[in-house]
């Protein structure tokens, strides 16, 4: 061990550091790891969205105070008795320009699978245009497929089958079973029926022949779209549906939204898909709202309606399109069911929205959608139309060549469904109807036909969706638009619902037990006794108890989904893309209400007594009374409380959602939901988690 050096020895040593620091940078002592704290981005006032909102509120308050002071000063000057000329001059100087109508600078957009509804928030009703675009192509949509729609089976040698057999034995058996059940139900209700009604219809339709009407003698002849020279690259809306199928050049129809999802089946890229959406919106704004100059759009705001169970990637893409391409000043989003309650003026309700290809159910309580009650089913009015055509063809419909892929046949089938279909049992009897077939370049043909129970059984398919053609509805899903995932965990973060999870679990394929037994007849799935579902979405902080098993409605004996009841079920599944969400409407409504009430008897009675049905699919005559009867049969204990309501003030059920969104856009309390250009340029889609009124 070396001993210590004396002070004299140390002084004698030569210094080499010149007594200078190694660096001019200040030396910061190490932080105490046991006691440190930071509040960075932990307070609302540190977030850009909240800062801009507070600045806007302060500016509004300052303007209000200045206006108040100016008004008081003018009153004082008038009271002092100044000269009339000076007073009038001061009044003219202080007089401001007249205030614009509330909502006149707000564009409200509601996109559906079949129709687009758009208008200013100050308008009483929206403009409705088909959500379709026709583009130049080598072939049209009917020539792209070898088989017509609805699909017919043929014999092995290619020859056609009899009409009773061309849709397969399973579908024919299901149709016959539904017809027999209807006869039993009508006899129980003391309604007289002829025993040979079906034979009368078939025999009449077999021998009927069309009547030829020359075009100049047809007062209701259709106006077909005339192509200009040179022909346009694309045609949007109603003119697209009126382009003749044999036009030169050919045009092919594209529907960007199918079954409430983005149509990934018919598009080659995501960019082409959203390009068509933007072209349809642009054409509607220019031609329907008469805002022809894009420079004006920067002064307008936009309220966009999204589904209750939405895809986050779809919402972010729409936000990017509205802010970048359309350059709106502000954008906000509202969910469909919440907008429906705004339009009807209800504070709490169970909203059932039956669209063209999608049916959504959601319970709304005190201005908020109950997250676990959201249900999204993939059937609607177009499925009723196709099923009605199949049933009529099964009974020897005289126009046997009908093909819903052709534009004139599609429009004809929609018209027949709206005019003929009914759910009033008193109207179910053999009746004679007629229609005019109008094809471009051909004489009009007038057909007469008889229909019996087809007019009732086709719309009844929403309660027994196995009669619908659900084969190709999920083709192409997730081929262009990937599922949104959490950036930290990598797990899917799209919104989930306990009610939707329960329905998907009920119709999920059975577990493979290794036994090869024939599948039993399709019956309604029964909920497993212990179903572990996620009680709240991932974005929620606190969990909620799952509903009691007794609160779930017991399914009826009729078939509503093709799934065996005795097979073991897999664990509860979340929103899966390989399972088609098709379930009986009555069971789905009660499942949604059960998850919204969460075993609370008072909430159960409130929701079950406040069911509001909206959407074009609910316009079938007698639909509300029939749905009420079905629900009462499932829950006899609540028979007196069950009530199906309609939108008040005789408002069209098809525009209730748009009307609610327009009211939402005019409210001064919605400032929290608006996304401005400055904050979007800085934060992008991350703003949605701060701006949406629900847990995004």
């Amino acid at each position: 061990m070396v001993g210590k050096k004396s002070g004299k020895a140390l002084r004698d040593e030569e210094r080499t550091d010149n007594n200078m620091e190694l660096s001019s940078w200040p030396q910061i002592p190490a932080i105490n790891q046991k006691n440190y704290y930071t509040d960075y981005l932990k307070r609302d006032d540190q977030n850009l969205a909240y800062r801009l909102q507070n600045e806007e509120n302060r500016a509004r308050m300052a303007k209000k105070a200045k206006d108040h002071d100016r008004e008081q000063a003018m009153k004082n000057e008038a009271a002092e008795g100044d000269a009339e000329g000076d007073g009038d001059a001061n009044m003219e100087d202080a007089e401001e320009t007249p205030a614009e109508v509330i909502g006149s600078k707000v564009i409200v957009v509601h996109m559906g699978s079949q129709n687009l509804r758009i208008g200013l928030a100050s308008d009483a009703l929206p403009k409705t245009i088909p959500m379709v675009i026709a583009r130049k192509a080598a072939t049209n949509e009917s020539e792209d497929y070898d088989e017509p729609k609805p699909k017919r089976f043929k014999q092995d040698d290619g020859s056609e089958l009899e009409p009773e057999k061309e849709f397969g034995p399973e579908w024919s058996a299901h149709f016959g079973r539904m017809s027999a059940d209807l006869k039993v139900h009508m006899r129980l209700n003391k309604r007289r029926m002829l025993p040979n009604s079906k034979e009368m219809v078939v025999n009449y339709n077999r021998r009927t022949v069309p009547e030829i009407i020359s075009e100049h003698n047809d007062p209701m002849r259709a106006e077909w779209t005339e192509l200009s020279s040179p022909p346009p690259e694309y045609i949007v809306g109603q003119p697209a549906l009126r382009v003749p199928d044999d036009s030169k050049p050919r045009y092919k129809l594209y529907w960007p939204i199918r079954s409430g999802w983005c149509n990934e089946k018919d598009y080659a890229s995501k960019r082409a898909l959203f390009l068509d959406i933007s072209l349809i919106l642009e054409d509607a704004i220019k031609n329907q709202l008469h805002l022809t100059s894009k420079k004006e759009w920067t002064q307008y705001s936009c309220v966009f309606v999204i589904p209750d169970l939405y895809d986050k990637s779809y919402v972010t893409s729409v936000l990017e399109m509205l802010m970048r391409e359309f350059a709106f000043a502000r954008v906000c989003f509202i969910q469909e069911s919440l907008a429906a309650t705004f339009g009807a003026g209800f504070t709490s309700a169970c909203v059932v929205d039956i669209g063209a290809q999608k049916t959504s159910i959601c319970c709304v309580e005190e201005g908020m959608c109950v997250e676990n009650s959201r249900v999204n089913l993939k059937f609607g009015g177009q499925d009723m139309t196709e099923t009605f055509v199949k049933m009529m063809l099964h009974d020897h419909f005289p126009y046997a060549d009908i093909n819903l892929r052709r534009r004139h046949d599609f429009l004809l089938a929609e018209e027949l469904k709206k005019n003929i279909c009914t759910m009033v049992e008193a109207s179910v009897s053999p009746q004679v109807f007629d229609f005019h077939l109008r094809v471009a370049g051909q004489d009009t043909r007038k057909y007469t036909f008889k229909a019996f129970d087809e007019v009732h059984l086709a719309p009844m398919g929403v309660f027994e969706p196995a009669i619908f053609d659900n084969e190709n509805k999920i083709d192409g899903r997730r081929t262009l638009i990937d599922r949104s995932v959490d950036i930290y965990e990598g797990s899917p973060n799209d919104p989930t619902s306990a009610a939707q999870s329960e329905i998907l679990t009920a119709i999920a394929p059975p577990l493979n037990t290794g036994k090869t037994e024939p599948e039993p007849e399709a019956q309604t799935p029964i909920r497993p006794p212990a179903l572990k579902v996620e009680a709240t979405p991932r974005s929620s902080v606190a969990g909620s108890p799952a509903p009691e098993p007794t609160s779930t409605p017991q399914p009826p004996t009729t078939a509503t989904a093709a799934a065996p009841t005795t097979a073991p079920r897999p664990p509860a599944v979340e929103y899966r893309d390989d399972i088609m969400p098709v379930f009986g409407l009555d069971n789905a409504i009660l499942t949604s209400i059960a998850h919204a009430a969460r075993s609370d008897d008072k909430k159960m009675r409130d929701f079950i007594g406040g069911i509001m049905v909206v959407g074009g699919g609910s316009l079938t005559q007698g639909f509300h009374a029939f749905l009420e009867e079905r629900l009462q049969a499932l829950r006899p204990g609540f028979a007196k409380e069950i009530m199906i309501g309609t939108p008040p003030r005789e408002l069209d059920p098809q525009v209730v959602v748009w009307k609610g969104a327009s009211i939402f856009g005019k409210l001064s309390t919605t400032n929290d939901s608006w996304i401005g250009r400055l904050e979007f340029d800085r934060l992008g889609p991350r703003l949605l988690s701060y701006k949406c009124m629900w847990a995004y």
Side-chain angles (χ1 to χ4, degrees), residues 7-175:
K8 183 177 182 300
L10 291 174
R11 286 194 302 268
D12 293 340
E13 287 185 356
E14 183 179 359
R15 296 183 58 88
T16 59
D17 56 357
N18 297 326
N19 201 23
M20 298 179 62
E21 299 291 342
L22 297 178
S23 173
S24 61
W25 288 92
Q27 296 183 7
I28 302 175
I31 191 173
N32 184 1
Q33 297 291 332
K34 295 182 179 179
N35 185 18
Y36 72 95
Y37 176 77
T38 180
D39 60 352
Y40 177 67
L41 288 183
K42 291 185 178 180
R43 298 197 310 266
D44 290 344
D45 57 359
Q46 295 177 335
N47 186 275
L48 177 63
Y50 288 99
R51 292 206 313 270
L52 294 177
Q53 176 185 331
N54 293 335
E55 292 175 3
E56 184 179 353
N57 292 335
R58 285 195 297 269
R60 189 183 301 109
M61 292 175 61
K63 183 179 182 299
K64 185 177 180 181
K66 290 180 180 179
D67 294 342
H68 178 69
D69 294 342
R70 186 183 300 111
E71 183 180 358
Q72 291 296 329
M74 292 169 56
K75 289 182 179 180
N76 294 336
E77 290 180 3
E80 291 176 359
D82 291 341
E84 293 185 1
D86 296 339
D88 293 341
N90 293 335
M91 289 285 290
E92 292 177 2
D93 294 340
E95 185 177 359
E96 297 180 356
T97 57
E100 62 183 16
V101 180
I102 299 177
S104 60
K105 294 291 186 180
V106 179
I107 299 175
V108 182
V109 180
H110 180 205
M111 286 198 319
S113 300
Q114 183 169 342
N115 292 314
L116 165 68
R117 291 181 173 86
I118 187 171
L120 299 176
S122 56
D123 295 340
L125 294 174
K127 305 293 192 301
T128 301
I129 62 175
M131 189 68 187
V132 63
I133 183 172
R135 287 186 172 275
K136 281 185 180 180
T139 58
N140 58 40
E141 60 275 10
S142 61
E143 296 171 345
D144 286 344
Y145 296 89
D146 297 333
E147 55 191 21
K149 183 180 180 181
K151 180 181 178 181
R152 283 89 146 173
F153 293 100
K154 295 184 179 181
Q155 296 183 3
D156 296 337
D157 57 357
S159 59
E160 296 183 356
L161 293 169
E162 291 293 325
E164 299 90 348
K165 302 178 182 179
E166 61 183 0
F167 298 112
E170 295 182 2
W171 190 91
S172 299
H174 195 173
F175 178 33

Side-chain angles (χ1 to χ4, degrees), residues 168-212:
E170 295 182 2
W171 190 91
S172 299
H174 195 173
F175 178 33
R177 185 169 60 252
M178 291 178 64
S179 182
D181 292 342
L182 176 61
K183 290 181 180 179
V184 172
H185 191 268
M186 294 182 66
R187 290 194 184 100
L188 292 176
N189 292 336
K190 308 298 183 183
R191 301 193 184 278
R192 298 180 58 184
M193 294 182 60
L194 296 176
N196 58 342
S197 299
K198 184 71 71 173
E199 290 77 9
M200 292 172 54
V201 171
V202 172
N203 293 332
Y204 182 89
N205 291 339
R206 275 177 174 171
R207 63 174 182 267
T208 185
V209 292
E211 175 187 352
I212 306 299

